[in-house]
Amino acid sequence: MLGFAENRDGKVCAVLEQPFIANARLATKEEIHDEFLRLGFHPEDNGEYYTNGQHDIFDAVAGNVLVGGDGNYYFIDTIIYPSDTGGYDLYRSLSPRFSGESV
């Protein structure tokens, strides 16, 4: 973590630095699914998010998951909530993908 800044909405956010991922490519939906299964997560709500009963992970889509030249998966900009804390409703209320839909 490098420090804090203000985002375009005027909210404080963390400024992070991430190492360069060599020879990266976008992961496919199938690769993401298989990696979550390997890690002990399972899909919920038609694959909208993955959970292991302790953590729910949202927005793990092809544009946010890379496969490095080393074969490792890198999850970028995914959203993680503790399970059973209302994260799903919060995610839906904030995500542009669900704007205009009732929660």
Side-chain angles (χ1 to χ4, degrees):
M1 186 166 133
L2 299 176
F4 295 95
E6 187 175 299
N7 67 16
R8 67 177 176 225
D9 297 325
K11 296 184 178 185
V12 175
C13 61
V15 178
L16 306 173
E17 181 179 50
Q18 178 176 318
F20 180 74
I21 302 167
N23 301 315
R25 65 172 175 81
L26 296 178
T28 66
K29 184 177 181 177
E30 293 78 18
E31 288 173 321
I32 295 166
H33 175 79
D34 291 347
E35 181 65 3
F36 272 122
L37 293 180
R38 187 186 74 75
L39 294 170
F41 286 79
H42 60 274
E44 290 289 330
D45 195 27
N46 264 348
E48 186 60 42
Y49 69 101
Y50 286 82
T51 187
N52 65 0
Q54 294 180 335
H55 298 96
D56 300 339
I57 301 179
F58 299 88
D59 216 19
V61 295
N64 289 351
V65 181
L66 304 175
V67 180
D70 57 7
N72 291 324
Y73 288 81
Y74 296 89
F75 293 80
I76 314 296
D77 290 336
T78 54
I79 302 165
I80 303 170
Y81 293 109
S83 297
D84 301 324
T85 62
Y88 181 67
D89 291 334
L90 180 60
Y91 170 72
R92 284 181 62 98
S93 73
L94 297 174
S95 174
R97 292 179 25 202
F98 297 103
S99 62
E101 288 186 18
S102 60
V103 182

